[in-house]
Amino acid sequence: MLLCFPFTPLLSSFSRFFVGFLVICMLFLDSSSSSNVPAKIGKGYRLVSIEESPNGGLIGLLQVKQKNNVYGPDIPLLQLYVKHETDNRLRVHITDAEKQRWEVPYNLLPRETTPSLKQTITKSRKDPFKLTVSENGNSELIFSYTADPFSFSVKRKSNGQILFDSTSDESDPFNSLVFKDQYLEISTKLPKDASLYGLGENTQPHGIKLNPNDPYTLYTTDISAINLNTDLYGSHPVYMDLRNVKGEANAHAVLLLNSNGMDVFYRGNSLTYKVIGGVFDFYFFSGPSPLEVVDQYTAFIGRPAAMPYWAFGFHQCRWGYHNLSVVEDVVENYKKAKIPLDVIWNDDDHMDGHKDFTLNPVNYPRPKLLAFLDKIHAQGMKYIVIIDPGIGVNNSYGVYQRGLANDVFIKYENKPYLAQVWPGAVNFPDFLNPKTVEWWGDEIRRFHELVPVDGLWIDMNEASNFCTGLCTIPEGRICPNGTGPGWECCLDCKNITKTKWDDPPYKINASGIQAPIGYKTIATSAYHYNGVLEYDAHSIYGFSQAIATHKALQGLEGKRPFILSRSTYVGSGHYAAHWTGDNKGTWEDLKYSISTMLNFGIFGVPMVGSDICGFYPAPTEELCNRWIEVGAFYPFSRDHANFYSPRQELYQWESVAESARNALGMRYKLLPYLYTLNYEAHTTGAPIARPLFFTFTKETELYGLSTQFLLGRSLMVSPVLESKKTEVKALFPPGSWYDMFDMTKVIASKETHYVTLDAPLHVINVHLYQNTIIPMQRGGMISKEARTTPFTLVVAFPLGVTKGECNGNLLLDDDELPEMKLGNGYSTYVDFYATISNRTVKMWSDVQESKFASEKGWIIEKVSVLGLHGSGSALEVEVDGNEVKDVSKVEMSTKDHEYVETLEDKTKNVMVEISGLDLPVGKKFVLSWKMGMKS
């Protein structure tokens, strides 16, 4: 739903107005955070003692060298804890040695605990200069330090490359280690040729690669995604560092596990963290490939959630489906237009007065809604609605009454903190409180009994507040009164500046303007369960809500939950999907969506997409054509629009409908491939959509490429992202690439280079890379039907190869089950292999857990083999080791490949199609044939 920040585009005009707002900006600027600060803050710390801990780590004691009061007094003694937790993960933890400080709760993000503080400061100490390096068996990471002033470095064992170096020299623009109650600073030196990715969520106009001197602020904020280089809905303080030295490429990642607000300054040759609380809790992941980095990262933060099969179908939503008949018409019109549709959504239009877990009795009467759901559920369609965290303050509202009775709300001065969102005055549930999690689960259960929804959309959970400060409900007037915009604050409010939590000494660049950190959100001096301050827990609010929602949905019917969350934190992908928030219907926003999507794959949130055609204002017809061509290949593919925008369902323009049928038609054929990538993500963390450098890591030209992307390791999408273009200049890595819409067309080269591709209005260029086998089906109008159709296997050999091999895989399961795994009797996993050698082509499968696929009766009807230097003859077929003697219905045909660009090798190569097959997916098969010569 729409954000309500003063400097986002006004809904009435949809243009960027800053008049009047500049005055606010000036008020927010605080000179104490910049011009009055000395060039260097203190002299850092010195290591006074260090010893080995019982669990195989190191424990040290740091003492401040020179006290000062810039941003508050220094914490005099710090505990250093270092542990090689795995062969590829190193932890460096620094905190107050005498007092417990805030950390991301261990029950929300499970991990090893650190040694107790008392143990650290009471034991005898060893000479810190005798132990300067920490290595651990097979660990790829080496920790070393300098005692005075204290600094540390992390080095790669295999090549000696320094990955992190916190040394601060006099000439450096950053300080040695600074550790105060509300200001923490540490830096690392970097080589200038390092390529960095991550540090989000923000909209990056320069593309996926971090740009030196752009601002990177991490603090969850309800601010429209159209605002560039600004802290948005999520906080992910992790970056991947990719370096190519003399042709050898190595990647690693650095996570600072801290939920407090922070600025990160990337200067190209250094990176500095300035954090307003918590601890330094660094995790280093050694890689060395980008895929291995994400594997190691998600092994720590939690593997991405398994998504149901239908979630990979197309979704339609709009804020402004005023009544049920409109929703029914939308579903019917998609069917008439022959555009695939799996899921229909409601924004808050279904609610009674914008209140969670309610139905509008006039516009969405329950009997008619249930009849509608029975109808679409019978067809295999799904229905999802929005839920905001703010619970309307209303004594006749059962959800609020039960919440009050269970004491579930965030407090301020012993009363539930009062805010305003869509229902008017609201209180915010405290998801750090176990009682709140139980109450929330019960409310979801009650609502599901009222309306059998298939998933939940949790929005506004940064948390968003239309007001600022300490508010009360006005007497003598209705708030809101229904005449003005619903996002204007109408409570009686006063600013809260009396505490250091509301007005910290260091001002992060919140909202891009150094806004007070409590601006348009929960006051940061409000408190949660056990006295936890909102100041500390702010950026994990949406994360904690996602965990509670996931638990509730999983407990309903034992089905696999689907949750879409706007606000995210480290680990959110373990529970929820994400969309990129309120984007704009512009060519620029279409382009930005790719970088944000790719970033979230790195963050461990692979199920991600943007509002197709833009949330607001009205997109042009041409833009919507191009956007559905891209959006059809987002992992999460949803059209969503604003209340005030004209209708933009894909059937509203015939030209867009044609593009949708084309692009979504291909998506629905690729659903088994996408779903198998979902399994790969769930088991290894691998992003579904990923940058090209994930596969072609040595190709430095790809390190900044943000206008193309891969699905899996080998399916490349090269969209048109500019107006009035009928061709696209796409970068192709070395090898053979086959056009998915016409597999006879091929691009082959020995080096990375640009190719200009034809791209008329209804064409999206998608290419399959060599050495790959992908499973496809016939497609359809809904995933339930598409899933029952026969399979085609596409085998892509390097063009004209005389000796080579390909592989691929397929996961089939009962996608309603909570767990996505083998061995439960409701799943089948198939590995596909193909080789060419001695003019013989051989293809076979290896099946695990065959029972499920066999019972479903899935078959392979066709195999398309690309890049062969010769036609096929004398086909032999085996199933489960038995020769199939009758192959009379099987046909082999060949088509010449057409070269999109001229190769030095002018030899003809062909695609061989074997149709009429009837191979059970659940049984092992072998196909082989001799290749005849092709002149």
Side-chain angles (χ1 to χ4, degrees), residues 117-128:
L117 300 175
K118 288 183 180 178
Q119 173 189 338
T120 304
I121 62 175
T122 57
K123 287 195 172 184
S124 62
R125 301 297 166 190
K126 297 177 181 179
D127 183 345

Side-chain angles (χ1 to χ4, degrees), residues 840-845 860-863 873-892 914-920 923-930:
T840 297
V841 179
K842 182 180 178 183
M843 184 179 180
W844 70 98
S845 68
I860 299 165
E861 65 175 352
K862 187 167 76 169
V863 173
S873 62
L875 177 71
E876 296 179 1
V877 182
E878 287 182 11
V879 175
D880 272 356
N882 300 312
E883 183 182 355
V884 177
K885 296 184 182 300
D886 183 8
V887 291
S888 58
K889 294 181 180 179
V890 178
E891 295 183 2
M892 294 185 73
I914 307 168
S915 57
L917 294 168
D918 191 19
L919 301 174
K923 295 184 178 182
K924 298 180 180 180
F925 71 84
V926 180
L927 299 178
S928 62
W929 69 91
K930 289 286 186 182

Side-chain angles (χ1 to χ4, degrees), residues 88-90 140-141 153-159 161-165 188-191 193-198 238-244 249-255 271 273 282-297 602 693-694 697:
N88 49 51
R89 184 173 80 229
L90 171 70
E140 169 65 351
L141 299 175
S153 66
V154 177
K155 185 164 56 174
R156 191 183 293 282
K157 181 188 290 185
S158 58
N159 61 12
Q161 200 171 69
I162 296 174
L163 310 185
F164 194 94
D165 177 8
T188 178
K189 295 181 177 181
L190 294 167
D193 57 354
S195 297
L196 269 58
Y197 311 88
V238 60
Y239 69 86
M240 178 189 290
D241 181 337
L242 176 59
R243 304 178 189 178
N244 189 307
N250 288 287
H252 68 275
V254 179
L255 165 67
L271 185 144
Y273 299 90
F282 283 105
Y283 290 84
F284 300 90
F285 306 89
S286 65
S289 73
L291 268 181
E292 287 171 306
V293 167
V294 180
D295 185 0
Q296 295 154 13
Y297 180 60
I602 294 172
F693 67 73
F694 264 62
T697 311

Side-chain angles (χ1 to χ4, degrees), residues 82-221:
V82 182
K83 175 78 183 296
H84 291 272
E85 294 189 341
T86 71
D87 289 346
N88 49 51
R89 184 173 80 229
L90 171 70
R91 184 183 190 183
V92 178
H93 182 279
I94 302 173
T95 188
D96 189 329
E98 297 175 299
K99 292 181 182 177
Q100 192 74 37
R101 288 181 63 81
W102 164 258
E103 299 187 41
V104 175
Y106 282 71
N107 64 320
L108 291 189
L109 194 69
R111 58 201 188 276
E112 290 185 26
T113 57
T114 57
S116 65
L117 300 175
K118 288 183 180 178
Q119 173 189 338
T120 304
I121 62 175
T122 57
K123 287 195 172 184
S124 62
R125 301 297 166 190
K126 297 177 181 179
D127 183 345
F129 299 102
K130 289 183 179 178
L131 187 65
T132 58
V133 175
S134 172
E135 296 185 67
N136 189 25
N138 297 320
S139 176
E140 169 65 351
L141 299 175
I142 299 172
F143 172 87
S144 59
Y145 65 84
T146 301
D148 189 7
F150 172 76
S151 65
F152 73 90
S153 66
V154 177
K155 185 164 56 174
R156 191 183 293 282
K157 181 188 290 185
S158 58
N159 61 12
Q161 200 171 69
I162 296 174
L163 310 185
F164 194 94
D165 177 8
S166 71
T167 306
S168 174
D169 302 322
E170 283 300 319
S171 59
D172 290 322
F174 47 82
N175 298 291
S176 294
L177 175 65
V178 180
F179 206 117
K180 299 164 185 285
D181 187 28
Q182 290 183 269
Y183 182 79
L184 285 65
E185 182 181 333
I186 196 168
S187 300
T188 178
K189 295 181 177 181
L190 294 167
K192 285 187 176 180
D193 57 354
S195 297
L196 269 58
Y197 311 88
L199 296 179
E201 176 181 10
N202 57 37
T203 300
Q204 299 173 196
H206 296 104
I208 186 175
K209 189 174 170 181
L210 297 189
N211 191 57
N213 301 315
D214 276 358
Y216 295 97
T217 298
L218 286 83
Y219 190 72
T220 62
T221 308

